[in-house]
């Protein structure tokens, strides 16, 4: 334990002597792990302490609580919900929250009540299934320690929330809430906990606690946009758009009466029922047993949903109480505003903005419904979009650092961090230095660049093990070679992408490797590190292996004659393509358009921007092709989808922030606004507006201040941060 903690790590007795398994390993390494004890899964534990404060303590300027729990906590002070956390992390670098709580305290008796949840499933969402469970807290007023977790605290395991079935790749349970077993008033000072046992403190722990560098989540109430009664005791609730959080309601009925709650992202045909067996492999069906008193319902875990269906005894339900408790990373919706004369583009921007908002939890998540996990490759797009939309760089910085720290498992980095689900994707690992540089260009944080650089070197060293004599990578078989997702949208890429991959040398992994080397060279230049420039040799080897001079296009592999979109976009993006091939590749994109997944479309548009093809970018962005954001709109999207359409993937999630590529492309490449110097200390402004735009306005917050732009029939109005130079086209 860190020396600054004077408190004890409290843990439920059931976990005290259970062996903690090591769940970290290379994905393809066979590891025998005993099945987890089912009696310790979905484990809810209430911990509380009553204490007195005098006026002198409350007069301190700062009163804060240091708090963390494993897996997760929800904090109440004097009966009121305060916050929840922490962001999931590894025990060797475990986050705690610093929470300002002065406004929640009073002179006299107070109570801190903490709901600790241990899930017990091995997945992408929690660092769980390792039998690490407990809580630690310290209440400080200035330099004075007022309260700390120790053996005087009371704790009780509770059973009013039982697990149903695990779903969503074992990331969550359906929940059966039995109000008859609830501990009513347990968060209040006056609650009688005399029959609760005192807590147990772990004698030794191996956590290294680190203050979480990001704020706790925003949690707030949202009312439905529509409530429709389908029959007595049967209601259909619409929140007007996809959100993340919990559905909540009140009821007062007879003890033992049942209420069924179904949630989902869409309705079944006929619009009379919620599709709770969701296309994204989630089962959103919860049950509630009433106590005979006035009861309040909400699940513990969060969902991604728009619609809720409730069925129970009519006389027991209170439809006026239906609401959602929304949760996501703090997000100022006014920080970035974009509106143009193209109404379809406005809607596309909005669904991408919503997708990023709800896909940003304590970590960026692949989707907030199924995986609930942070994927390295997704962050190339999500983090880029989030910095522009929120003006807040902290969540992206934390994500980059977490992936860098995964080098203790593999120097080539893991694909999903945090979590105990071990997955490795070579394409994603090779993008990590690009994320570091994107963050550096936005933040100007050179100290962080220096801190991350050793991980970048370790990354290169890992992949260099697969180099053959000419420098190209062959047989990168320790990680999945993805190319794009879903696999049906790889434009018939001609290479065996099994796990592990088939024999031979293929294009995409080598194009990404060259992009990675190029980016690490940029890092070295900035940090003054000498190195041998291997890029010329690598580019020549790439051309020798994959360039088809007759077609002026790139082949998928050495043995192939096929020219997939993916095999040509990346050479264009990373400056590998010879001048004579540029128009051939652009013509290919013009013909094939988005013959790729939504994920890869970001790279298509960024490659076109590298060669000044802005009209084609906007044509693709604004189209209503089958593969387009316009198609998502036609299918009723309120957040950006995982695929171009609901039926284009067997398990499409309807909130997938990797699909937010239009956000950075519109702002950086169409409106032409970028940092010309790191940290936006100088701004580049080279607008490439489409001829169809008669007007537009943009407001965006960057580290040096607010930028406001508007255009109306040829007339510009501009406002840039004071003292910041703006570079323009000559």
């Amino acid at each position: 334990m860190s020396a600054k903690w004077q408190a004890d790590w409290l843990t439920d007795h059931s976990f005290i002597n259970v062996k903690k398994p090591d769940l970290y390993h290379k994905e393809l390494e066979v590891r025998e792990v005993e099945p987890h004890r089912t009696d310790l899964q979905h484990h809810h534990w209430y911990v509380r302490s009553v204490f007195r404060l005098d006026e002198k303590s409350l007069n301190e300027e700062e009163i804060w609580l240091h708090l963390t729990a494993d897996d997760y906590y929800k904090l109440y002070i004097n009966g009121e919900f305060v916050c929840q956390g922490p962001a999931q992390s590894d025990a060797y670098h475990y986050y705690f929250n610093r929470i300002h709580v002065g406004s929640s305290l009073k002179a006299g008796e107070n109570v801190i009540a903490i709901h600790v949840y241990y899930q017990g499933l091995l997945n992408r969402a929690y660092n769980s299934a390792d039998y690490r469970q407990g809580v630690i807290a310290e209440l400080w007023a200035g330099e004075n320690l007022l309260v700390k977790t120790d053996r005087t605290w009371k704790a009780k395991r509770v059973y009013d929330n039982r697990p149903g079935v695990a779903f969503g790749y074992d990331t969550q349970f359906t929940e059966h809430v039995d109000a008859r077993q609830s501990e009513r008033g347990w968060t209040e000072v006056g609650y009688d906990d005399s029959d609760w046992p005192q807590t147990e403190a772990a004698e030794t722990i191996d956590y290294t606690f680190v203050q979480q560098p990001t704020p706790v989540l925003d949690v707030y109430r949202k009312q439905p946009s529509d409530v429709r009664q389908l029959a007595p005791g049967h209601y259909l609730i619409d929140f007007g758009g996809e959100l993340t959080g919990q559905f909540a309601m009140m009821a007062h009925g007879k003890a033992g009466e049942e209420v069924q709650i179904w949630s989902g992202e869409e309705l079944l045909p006929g619009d009379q029922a919620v599709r709770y067996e969701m296309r994204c492999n989630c089962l959103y069906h919860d049950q509630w047993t009433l106590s005979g008193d006035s009861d309040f319902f909400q699940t513990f875990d969060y969902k991604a949903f728009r619609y809720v269906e409730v069925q129970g005894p009519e006389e027991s339900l209170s439809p006026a109480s239906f609401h959602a408790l929304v949760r996501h990373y703090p997000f100022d919706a006014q920080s970035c505003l974009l509106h143009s004369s193209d109404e379809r583009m406005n809607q596309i921007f909005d669904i991408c903005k919503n997708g990023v908002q709800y896909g940003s939890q304590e970590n960026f998540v692949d989707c907030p419904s199924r995986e609930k996990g942070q994927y390295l490759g997704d962050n190339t797009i999500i983090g880029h979009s989030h910095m522009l939309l929120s003006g807040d760089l902290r969540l992206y910085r934390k994500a980059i650092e977490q992936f860098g720290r995964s080098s203790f498992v593999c120097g080539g980095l893991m694909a999903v961090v945090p979590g105990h689900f071990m997955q490795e994707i070579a394409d994603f690992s090779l993008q990590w230095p690009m994320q570091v540089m994107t963050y550096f260009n936005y933040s100007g944080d050179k100290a962080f660049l220096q801190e991350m650089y050793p991980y970048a070197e370790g990354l290169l060293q890992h992949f260099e093990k697969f180099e053959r004599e000419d420098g190209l990578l062959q047989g990168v078989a320790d990680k999945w070679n993805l190319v794009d997702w879903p696999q049906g949208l790889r434009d018939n890429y001609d290479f065996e992408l099994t796990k592990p991959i088939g024999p031979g040398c293929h294009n995409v992994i080598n194009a990404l490797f060259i992009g990675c080397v190029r980016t690490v060279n940029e890092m070295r230049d900035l940090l003054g590190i000498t190195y041998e420039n291997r890029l010329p040799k690598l580019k020549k080897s790439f051309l020798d292996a994959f360039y088809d001079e007759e077609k002026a296009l790139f082949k998928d592999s050495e043995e192939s004659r096929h020219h997939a979109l993916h095999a040509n976009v990346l050479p264009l993006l990373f400056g590998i393509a010879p001048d004579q091939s540029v128009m051939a590749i652009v013509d290919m994109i013009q013909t094939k358009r988005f013959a790729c997944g939504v994920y890869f479309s970001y790279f298509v548009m960024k490659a076109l921007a590298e060669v000044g093809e802005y009209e084609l970018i906007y044509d693709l962005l604004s189209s209503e092709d089958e593969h387009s954001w316009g198609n998502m709109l036609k299918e009723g999207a309120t957040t950006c989808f995982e695929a171009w359409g609901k039926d284009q993937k067997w398990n499409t999630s309807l909130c997938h922030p990797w699909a937010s590529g239009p956000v950075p492309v519109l702002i950086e490449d169409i409106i032409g606004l970028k940092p010309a110097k790191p940290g936006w200390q100088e701004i580049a402004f080279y607008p490439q507006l489409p001829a169809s735009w008669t007007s537009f306005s943009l407001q965006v917050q960057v580290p040096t201040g607010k930028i406001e732009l508007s255009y109306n029939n040829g007339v510009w109005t501009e406002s840039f941060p004071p003292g910041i130079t703006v570079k323009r086209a000559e």
Side-chain angles (χ1 to χ4, degrees):
M1 181 186 294
S2 172
K4 64 184 176 184
W5 288 86
Q6 300 178 44
D8 293 324
W9 178 264
L10 306 181
T11 189
D12 184 31
H13 175 76
S14 300
F15 292 89
I16 287 282
N17 296 314
V18 180
K19 183 180 178 182
K20 310 298 189 281
D22 179 9
L23 298 176
Y24 297 104
H25 58 88
K26 294 277 291 175
E27 179 182 0
L28 299 180
E29 173 189 315
V30 177
R31 179 72 65 91
E32 293 293 331
V33 178
E34 290 186 13
H36 195 285
R37 285 174 52 180
T38 56
D39 64 308
L40 293 182
Q41 291 178 332
H42 199 62
H43 181 284
H44 293 266
W45 195 50
Y46 289 172
V47 183
R48 53 179 267 130
S49 179
V50 177
F51 56 94
R52 296 191 65 85
L53 292 179
D54 56 27
E55 292 286 356
K56 182 180 178 182
S57 297
L58 294 173
N59 286 336
E60 286 286 347
E61 189 171 325
E62 282 199 357
I63 304 178
W64 67 87
L65 185 71
H66 284 170
L67 170 64
T68 193
D70 200 343
D71 296 334
Y72 201 71
Y73 72 80
K74 292 186 180 180
L75 168 67
Y76 302 84
I77 297 180
N78 294 329
E80 297 295 325
F81 172 78
V82 178
C83 67
Q84 59 193 61
Q88 289 294 297
S89 51
D90 302 305
Y92 72 94
H93 192 84
Y94 203 81
Y95 293 131
F96 70 88
N97 298 123
R98 179 185 172 98
I99 309 153
H100 291 274
V101 295
S103 61
S104 300
L105 299 168
K106 61 188 180 182
E109 283 198 332
N110 295 263
V111 62
I112 293 174
I114 307 168
H115 183 167
V116 179
Y117 178 63
Y118 173 83
Q119 189 198 56
L121 296 174
L122 196 155
N123 58 42
R124 307 152 169 87
Y126 284 99
N127 277 75
S128 196
D130 57 356
Y131 297 104
R132 294 176 178 272
Q133 185 271 355
V135 64
I136 190 169
E138 291 179 350
L139 179 66
W140 289 83
E143 298 298 316
N144 299 314
L145 177 59
L146 304 178
V147 179
K148 63 179 181 178
T149 48
D150 58 24
R151 289 172 173 81
T152 66
W153 285 51
K154 295 293 191 74
K156 183 177 184 180
R157 182 176 181 182
V158 293
Y159 296 91
D160 59 338
N161 189 324
R162 290 287 195 172
V165 298
F167 63 88
Y169 297 155
D170 282 347
T171 55
Q172 55 215 288
F173 291 99
T174 56
E175 298 182 38
H176 299 173
V177 179
D178 189 343
R180 295 171 300 181
Q181 298 189 51
S182 67
E183 297 287 335
R184 292 178 178 275
W186 76 277
T187 65
E188 304 283 351
V189 170
Y191 176 80
D192 181 6
D193 61 11
S194 58
D195 62 341
W196 284 29
Q198 290 184 327
T199 54
E200 296 186 53
E203 294 298 328
T204 59
I205 59 171
D206 56 359
Y207 290 90
T208 299
F209 295 112
V210 179
Q211 185 173 334
Q212 186 173 309
T214 52
V216 295
L217 297 182
D218 273 352
V219 180
Y220 55 91
R221 185 175 177 134
K222 181 174 181 176
Q223 296 300 125
S225 61
D226 183 61
V227 176
R228 183 155 43 107
Q229 186 171 21
L230 303 177
H234 192 185
Y235 293 87
L236 183 63
I237 302 119
D238 181 4
F239 286 94
E242 182 114 1
L243 56 82
T244 49
Q246 295 100 349
F247 173 70
M249 63 177 290
M250 299 286 294
H252 191 157
K254 298 175 183 176
E257 285 183 331
E258 295 282 343
V259 179
Q260 306 296 324
I261 298 102
W262 300 277
S263 310
E265 297 178 304
E266 55 190 321
L267 298 176
L268 289 168
D271 294 342
Q272 297 294 302
V274 173
R275 182 173 179 165
Y276 69 92
E277 293 182 285
M278 298 161 66
R279 66 176 74 239
C280 67
N281 191 37
C282 288
L283 180 67
Y284 280 179
H285 177 202
D286 300 306
Q287 300 177 49
W288 185 25
T289 304
L290 303 184
S291 71
D293 202 339
S294 182
D295 298 323
F296 175 74
F297 171 84
Q298 73 175 90
T299 55
F300 184 87
D301 212 341
Y302 76 95
K303 296 177 172 65
F305 64 96
R306 172 177 176 173
Y307 300 99
V308 178
E309 190 179 348
V310 173
Q311 191 166 24
E314 170 65 26
E315 64 279 3
S316 303
L317 304 182
S318 175
S321 71
F322 296 160
H323 65 279
L325 291 168
V326 182
R327 54 164 272 171
H328 54 73
Y329 185 84
F331 189 90
D332 180 0
Q334 301 301 306
S335 179
C336 181
L337 301 172
L338 175 62
H339 188 272
S340 77
S341 54
D342 184 338
E343 186 54 36
R344 186 188 305 148
M345 188 54 61
N346 296 336
Q347 293 172 1
I348 289 169
F349 187 83
D350 286 345
I351 66 171
C352 292
K353 183 176 181 178
N354 292 342
V356 171
Q357 177 176 357
Y358 294 122
S360 302
Q361 298 293 322
E362 286 97 354
N363 309 299
F364 295 126
V365 293
D366 167 86
C367 63
S369 54
R370 183 179 59 231
E371 284 96 335
K372 294 186 172 183
Q374 182 170 250
Y375 270 78
L376 176 51
D378 298 21
N379 285 3
T380 298
I381 306 168
I382 304 171
H384 198 171
S385 297
H386 187 265
M387 289 193 297
L388 285 164
L389 290 170
S390 68
D392 184 340
L393 280 56
R394 292 172 292 179
L395 193 60
Y396 196 30
R397 186 186 193 278
K398 178 172 76 68
I400 291 167
E401 181 183 8
Q402 285 184 298
F403 280 106
R405 289 183 177 277
S406 74
S407 63
F408 82 93
V409 183
C410 174
L413 308 188
M414 306 304 289
V416 186
V417 175
H420 284 139
F421 182 81
M422 299 291 102
Q423 191 168 18
E424 300 181 60
I425 301 174
D427 315 51
F428 288 5
S429 295
L430 291 167
Q431 292 174 43
W432 183 81
M434 303 170 206
Q435 296 176 14
V436 175
M437 282 304 298
T438 300
Y439 172 79
F440 172 70
N441 286 329
Y442 270 61
S443 68
D445 187 349
K446 196 169 182 178
F448 184 69
L449 185 69
Q450 180 78 64
E451 185 182 348
M452 294 298 103
Y453 175 70
Y455 300 127
E457 281 287 2
L459 177 69
L460 285 183
Q461 289 170 19
H462 174 82
F463 281 96
E464 285 166 0
K465 292 185 293 187
F466 301 98
E467 283 191 31
R468 60 189 196 184
E469 190 173 343
D470 63 357
L472 295 183
L473 304 183
Q474 181 166 306
V476 184
D478 75 320
K479 298 180 187 293
W480 187 9
N481 290 211
L482 185 73
V483 175
D484 196 3
W485 192 253
Q487 59 263 56
L489 290 177
R490 291 172 175 154
D491 192 28
N492 297 312
Y493 188 77
D494 186 16
F495 191 77
E496 190 177 344
L497 297 173
T498 50
K499 282 189 185 181
I501 60 165
C505 179
H506 74 103
N507 177 311
V508 164
I509 209 69
N510 278 287
L512 286 167
F513 180 59
I514 290 174
C516 180
V517 171
R518 185 175 77 163
T519 307
V520 175
N521 283 354
E522 292 177 29
M523 297 170 69
R524 291 162 170 162
D525 290 338
L526 286 161
L527 297 172
I529 295 169
T530 57
Y531 61 95
E532 176 191 354
N533 185 8
R534 304 174 59 235
L535 274 180
K537 178 185 176 182
L538 286 172
K539 288 183 178 180
K540 181 180 183 305
S541 298
F542 189 92
L543 291 169
D544 290 344
F546 305 117
Y547 187 54
D548 181 343
E549 289 193 23
E550 180 183 346
K551 302 286 187 182
L553 294 171
F554 289 89
K555 304 178 298 180
D556 302 351
S557 73
E558 284 185 306
E559 304 302 321
S560 175
R561 301 300 301 170
H562 185 256
H563 311 93
L565 178 71
H566 306 72
N568 287 272
V569 162
L570 295 178
L572 190 64
L573 177 63
F574 297 130
I576 306 168
D579 292 343
Q580 61 268 30
S581 71
V582 169
M583 286 316 301
I585 296 173
V586 171
D587 288 345
M588 166 192 269
I589 298 171
Q590 177 77 62
T591 301
K592 293 193 174 189
R593 301 178 73 74
F594 284 143
C596 60
V598 190
Y599 174 71
F600 196 80
S601 67
Y602 169 87
F603 300 94
V604 175
M605 294 185 290
K606 282 297 183 181
L608 289 171
E610 286 293 314
V611 293
E613 292 291 333
Y614 301 105
E615 287 187 18
L616 180 52
I617 292 172
Y618 197 77
D619 178 37
L620 293 168
L621 266 178
S622 59
S623 82
E624 289 188 290
D625 297 348
E626 183 183 4
H627 290 188
S628 71
W629 285 272
N631 191 60
M632 295 183 201
L633 292 174
K634 285 191 288 187
E635 295 191 9
T638 59
T639 51
C640 45
F641 293 172
E642 180 182 13
W644 297 114
K646 294 177 180 178
D647 294 321
Q648 291 187 29
K649 185 174 182 283
W650 67 95
N651 61 349
T652 305
S653 95
L654 305 188
C655 181
H656 222 84
W658 80 358
S660 63
V663 171
V665 170
L666 279 168
I667 294 173
E668 292 188 344
D669 303 310
I670 300 302
I671 296 171
L673 202 59
K674 294 181 181 179
K677 289 184 178 178
W680 297 81
Q681 293 299 320
E682 186 172 287
I683 295 171
F685 181 41
Y686 301 104
Q688 304 289 339
L689 303 187
S692 60
W693 278 17
T694 57
S695 65
F696 94 94
S697 61
L698 171 70
Q699 173 181 301
V700 62
Q701 188 74 32
V702 300
T704 49
K706 183 186 293 185
I707 300 172
E708 294 179 288
L709 303 171
S710 66
Y711 172 86
N712 194 346
N713 293 311
V715 178
W716 283 93
T717 303
E718 305 170 1
S719 175
F720 291 97
I724 300 299
T725 301
V726 179
K727 293 178 65 176
R728 305 170 186 268
E730 296 180 358

